Structure formats: C-alpha cells, structure tokens
C-alpha cells in the first residue's frame, strides 16, 4: 500500500478491515468498497471509515472516484445492522442494530443516524467532483451512496432499488434529496414507495445515470470521465458546480444574479494571473 501523511498505514489497515480503501494519485482520490463476498453490504464501521476518508483528503484532491469490487456495487445494509450477529465464540457483535436504536432515547437515536449520514454528506463538497462507478446491485444504503456522488457512470448490468420501505423503514442516509432533484417528486416517491428495480437503461433515461457503459469497461469509462472533468479550470469548475447546485433553490432572477457575481469573480481572478 502507498504511504500517505494524511492516511498512514494503521488507518489504511483499519479501513481495509472494514471493507474500504483509499488511494490518491495526483488530483484524484479513489475509494473502493471491498467486501465482495458480502456484495459490499454496508456497516456502521464502513460508514465511519468513509466519513474519515472525506475528512482526511488533502486539498490537492479535485476529484473522487468511488467504485466497488465484485459483482455488486452494494447490496444495501449488512444483516448485522438489522438483527445483530454472534461471533464464532458466541459473543454478540458490537455493531449497533435497529433494535438498539429502537430502545434508545429518540434524540440519541437521531444523533446515531446523523453520525451514519456523515459518510454520505461530503461527496458533494464544493471543492470536489465525485463520480460513482456502479455495477450490479445498488440497493438501499448502496443506492444512497451512489446518489451522494455528483455523477454516476453505470454498467449495463446495474440495477437500483430503494428497498427500505419493505422493512417498514425510510431512506435516511441523505438519498431522498438528490433522488428528487434528479428524477422529480412523483418519480422519486414512486421509486421509494414501491421499492421496485430500476435497470441501467431506465436509470439513464430518468437521469439517475450520466452514462451507461459495458460492465467490462466500467472502471476505465469512469476514469475517463474524471479526467475530462479535471481538464477544466479548477476555480471555474467550483463556481459552476455551486451555480448548478443552487439553481433548484433560487428563482430565475436570483440565479441570474448568482451567475453575474460568479462571472465577475472569475474575470477578476483571470485578470490577476
């Protein structure tokens, strides 16, 4: 493993044990979900490591590529989060389960979920562009992690589903806002309320996927998109991302004003070069 000051060997080892890894090459960070035997099912320990990775990234990183090993991007919540598991010696897992949350004070339960959400909140930071490369299943918590990224390159075998409602739950990892922004209120409600499958062609048609590519080419095509994004001026890209992100919350005149202000900043910055 490469050595980094911001992500030393002991942190790499802890992340690997949790099923995730981080590497940085120049301006690109690559984060890999690496529990293929479990179809990259998500655990609180994975979420903690993902949040730590977001906090640790050096300022030189401009783009983050998220991908997964194995046939699936992520099959959603690991079974241990739902019902707990026992280790071979009969000891109960320390993983906090839904049963534990139900028994705790509501404020404490919300704080626990907020901590889980931190793994999902940093991918759209204004100084970064994030790209998810999605293959196979992206279910529930895995679907929401793909939604946390700015852009998605999707293999032709990808299938998405928001299955929380089948457990009597709701999506709670930040996915409902980007889903609604991407596909609109009616379609987002239908996707979450039915828990149905969305295949790659439909994902592209309704705006979930930016590109659909052959599964064998997924990583390469995601890397190509990342490098296309890095060809842009960094500050111009930051300003453009901020404009697009804010467009859904501003009216037309406010958006035009934001464009004017951003352009003046860019012109003045260019003149100083």
């Amino acid at each position: 493993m490469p050595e980094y000051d911001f992500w030393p060997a002991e942190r790499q080892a802890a992340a690997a044990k949790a099923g995730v890894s981080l590497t940085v090459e120049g301006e690109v960070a690559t984060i890999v979900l690496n529990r293929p035997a479990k179809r990259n099912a998500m655990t609180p320990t994975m979420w903690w490591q993902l949040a730590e990775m977001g906090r640790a990234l050096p300022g030189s990183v401009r783009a983050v590529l998220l991908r997964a090993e194995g046939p699936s991007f992520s099959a959603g919540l690991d079974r241990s989060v739902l019902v707990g598991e026992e280790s071979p010696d009969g000891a109960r897992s320390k993983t906090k389960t839904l049963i534990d949350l139900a028994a705790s004070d509501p404020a404490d339960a919300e704080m626990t979920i907020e901590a889980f959400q931190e793994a999902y909140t940093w991918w759209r930071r204004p100084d970064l562009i994030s790209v998810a490369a999605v293959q196979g299943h992206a279910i529930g918590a895995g679907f929401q992690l793909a939604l946390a990224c700015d852009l998605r390159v999707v293999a032709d075998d990808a299938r998405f589903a928001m299955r929380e409602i089948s457990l009597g739950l709701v999506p709670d990892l930040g996915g409902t806002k980007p889903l609604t922004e991407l596909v609109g209120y009616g379609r987002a409600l239908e996707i979450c309320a039915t828990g149905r499958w969305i295949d790659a062609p439909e994902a592209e048609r309704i705006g979930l996927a930016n590109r659909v590519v052959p599964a064998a080419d997924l990583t390469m095509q995601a890397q190509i998109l990342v490098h296309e994004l890095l060809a842009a001026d960094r500050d111009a890209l930051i300003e453009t991302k901020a404009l697009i992100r804010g467009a859904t919350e501003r009216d037309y005149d406010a958006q035009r004003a934001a464009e004017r202000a951003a352009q003046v900043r860019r012109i003045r910055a260019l003149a100083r070069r």
Side-chain angles (χ1 to χ4, degrees), residues 239 242-243 246-247 250-265:
E239 290 277 17
L243 283 171
R250 301 186 192 102
D251 64 26
Y252 183 61
D253 289 340
Q255 182 68 8
R256 289 192 305 122
E259 291 174 356
R260 293 193 297 270
Q263 191 72 304
V264 169
R265 287 193 294 272

Side-chain angles (χ1 to χ4, degrees), residues 166-203:
S166 67
L167 300 170
L169 303 172
V170 300
D172 66 342
L173 296 168
T176 56
K177 181 172 176 60
L179 179 63
T180 303
E181 290 174 345
L182 288 167
V183 304
Y185 165 78
R187 188 170 275 125
L189 178 59
E190 181 246 345
I191 288 169
C192 293
T194 65
R196 70 175 180 86
W197 291 103
I198 303 161
D199 62 16
E202 183 181 2

Side-chain angles (χ1 to χ4, degrees), residues 117-156:
Q117 290 174 335
E118 290 183 14
Y120 291 73
T121 56
W122 62 266
W123 302 86
R124 293 194 174 196
R125 268 172 31 190
D127 59 322
L128 297 173
I129 292 285
S130 55
V131 176
V134 182
Q135 79 277 13
H137 299 94
I139 304 172
F143 187 4
Q144 292 183 78
L145 188 59
L147 287 167
C149 293
D150 293 306
L151 305 172
R152 282 149 296 282
V153 179
V154 171
D156 52 14

Side-chain angles (χ1 to χ4, degrees), residues 78-153:
D78 189 271
R79 183 177 180 276
S80 64
V81 182
L82 300 174
V83 297
E85 289 184 345
E86 288 188 355
S87 62
D89 62 3
R92 181 164 152 68
S93 167
K94 293 181 180 179
T95 298
K96 185 159 286 193
T97 68
L98 299 185
I99 295 171
D100 296 324
L101 289 181
S104 62
D105 178 82
D108 291 338
E110 286 195 27
M111 288 178 63
T112 298
I113 295 171
E114 184 178 20
F116 296 164
Q117 290 174 335
E118 290 183 14
Y120 291 73
T121 56
W122 62 266
W123 302 86
R124 293 194 174 196
R125 268 172 31 190
D127 59 322
L128 297 173
I129 292 285
S130 55
V131 176
V134 182
Q135 79 277 13
H137 299 94
I139 304 172
F143 187 4
Q144 292 183 78
L145 188 59
L147 287 167
C149 293
D150 293 306
L151 305 172
R152 282 149 296 282
V153 179

